[in-house]
């Protein structure tokens, strides 16, 4: 799968003018700190990462096409006692219900990646909701659990996608570390890229059916463990309330919640 965003020159110019105006007003009125907060609210962002004091991260896998290595990934994660989050397309559930059940039975989260893998920004709000609800129903029928997390196909989102998902109780999830496994780099490159870029609260992107992911995954896990990381599924990593978002899509807990759990 390919991840890309298309932004017109006109939109860039408008965005630049708006941001410049906000920055000037913020600096004049009350200093740089509030300027950052103001600009962060200009866009409705999905969750890219989470501000966590402890060294914890989440491994995530998108499943939309093939199914060659799902059991192998389950075995590797099970050997290391790691629970991951799999974002699956509804059509993938139709083709491979036994793999969806195997993921759930192994304790992994099975979450929503749309029903037919469209560009969500090209859909109306009603069409978005239909895509997600259809996928949720398929997943729940197999696993008994209704998803609460949504990852847009192609990483393609805008304010309307995020707000529409929120309106039906779904958290929109992106990533801050991309393994680029879909480009089929050598396993060693995947390992170094992930381990070198992970930070506290990172959400790491992989794909099932990517050529070298099963070979790379043990090295990724070993490398992250050597750096002191532990692993949580995304629903346990993110904050469900009492948080703000910075301009990078990083969840920042309210001060009273910072030392508490991500609930």
């Amino acid at each position: 799968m390919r991840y890309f965003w298309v932004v017109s020159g006109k939109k860039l110019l408008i965005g630049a003018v708006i941001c410049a105006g906000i920055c000037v007003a913020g600096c004049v009125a009350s200093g740089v700190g509030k300027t950052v907060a103001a600009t962060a609210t200009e866009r409705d962002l999905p969750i890219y990462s989470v501000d966590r004091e402890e060294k914890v991260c989440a491994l995530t896998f998108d499943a939309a096409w093939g199914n060659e290595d799902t059991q192998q990934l389950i075995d590797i994660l099970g050997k290391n006692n790691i629970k991951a989050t799999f974002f699956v397309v509804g059509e993938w559930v139709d083709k491979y219900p036994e793999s969806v059940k195997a993921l759930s039975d192994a304790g992994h989260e099975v979450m929503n990646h749309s029903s037919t893998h469209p560009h969500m920004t090209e859909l109306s709000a009603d069409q978005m909701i239909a895509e997600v609800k259809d996928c949720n129903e398929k997943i729940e029928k197999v696993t008994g659990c209704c998803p609460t997390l949504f990852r847009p196909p192609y990483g393609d989102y805008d304010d309307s996608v995020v707000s529409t998902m929120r309106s039906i109780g779904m958290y929109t999830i992106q990533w801050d570390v991309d393994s680029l496994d879909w480009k089929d780099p050598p396993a060693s490159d995947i390992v170094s890229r992930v381990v070198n870029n992970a930070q506290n609260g990172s959400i790491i992107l992989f794909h099932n059916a990517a050529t070298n992911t099963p070979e790379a995954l043990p090295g990724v896990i070993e490398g992250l463990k050597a750096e002191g990381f532990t692993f949580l599924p995304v629903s346990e990593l993110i904050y469900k309330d009492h948080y703000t978002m910075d301009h990078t899509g990083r969840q920042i807990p309210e001060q009273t919640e910072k030392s508490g759990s991500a609930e």
Side-chain angles (χ1 to χ4, degrees):
M1 290 182 288
R2 299 295 185 265
Y3 293 83
F4 60 89
W5 294 262
V6 177
V7 182
S8 69
K10 182 177 179 181
K11 288 182 179 179
L12 284 173
L13 178 59
I14 293 171
V17 171
I18 292 172
C19 288
I22 292 170
C23 288
V24 170
C27 289
V28 169
S30 53
V32 175
K34 289 193 177 180
T35 302
V36 172
T39 56
T41 62
E42 291 302 305
R43 296 178 62 201
D44 201 350
L45 294 172
I47 300 167
Y48 281 81
S49 65
V50 183
D51 183 27
R52 297 289 294 257
E53 293 181 345
E54 63 273 32
K55 299 197 78 168
V56 62
C57 63
L59 304 182
T60 71
F61 299 81
D62 289 359
W65 316 120
N67 190 39
E68 299 85 352
D69 58 11
T70 305
Q71 188 57 52
Q72 192 174 358
L73 296 175
I74 292 173
D75 294 342
I76 294 168
L77 293 166
K79 181 178 179 180
N80 288 277
N81 195 30
I82 292 172
K83 306 306 181 188
T85 302
F86 286 76
F87 290 93
V88 305
V89 170
E91 291 178 345
W92 194 85
V93 179
D94 291 337
K95 291 179 181 178
Y96 310 111
E98 71 287 347
S99 291
V100 175
K101 187 174 190 307
L103 287 167
S104 180
D105 288 349
H108 302 296
E109 293 186 329
V110 181
M111 295 294 177
N112 194 309
H113 197 35
S114 80
S115 187
T116 64
H117 208 266
H119 284 278
M120 298 293 285
T121 57
E122 298 176 359
L123 305 182
S124 68
D126 286 345
Q127 289 171 324
M128 292 182 210
I129 291 171
E131 274 282 330
V132 172
K133 286 191 172 181
D134 184 60
C135 184
N136 274 356
E137 289 171 3
K138 291 177 179 180
I139 292 171
E140 186 172 16
K141 184 176 180 180
V142 176
T143 68
C145 298
C146 186
T148 56
L149 308 179
F150 171 70
R151 173 168 283 165
Y154 310 102
D156 180 27
Y157 73 91
D158 57 18
D159 288 4
S160 179
V161 173
V162 179
S163 62
T164 300
M165 293 304 101
R166 184 183 300 112
S167 75
I168 59 172
M170 303 289 288
Y171 295 86
T172 304
I173 307 296
Q174 293 281 83
W175 59 88
D176 66 324
V177 179
D178 189 346
S179 69
L180 295 181
D181 58 352
W182 53 272
K183 290 186 173 183
D184 296 337
S188 59
D189 288 0
I190 296 174
V191 173
S192 60
R193 180 176 178 83
V194 172
V195 174
N196 291 338
N197 287 285
Q199 60 178 325
N200 294 13
S202 277
I203 298 173
I204 303 169
L205 173 66
F206 299 96
H207 299 80
N208 84 313
T211 304
N212 296 318
T213 300
E215 181 184 352
L217 187 56
V220 167
I221 293 170
E222 181 181 350
L224 290 173
K225 283 183 175 180
E227 293 293 325
F229 282 96
T230 56
F231 305 86
L232 288 175
V234 173
S235 70
E236 296 180 25
L237 179 73
I238 66 173
Y239 299 98
K240 305 299 175 52
D241 50 30
H242 303 297
Y243 68 87
T244 59
M245 300 281 285
D246 74 8
H247 67 285
T248 70
R250 188 169 178 84
Q251 277 191 318
I252 310 295
E254 292 179 359
Q255 195 61 39
T256 55
E257 297 291 318
K258 182 127 183 176
S259 59
S261 61
E263 297 179 349

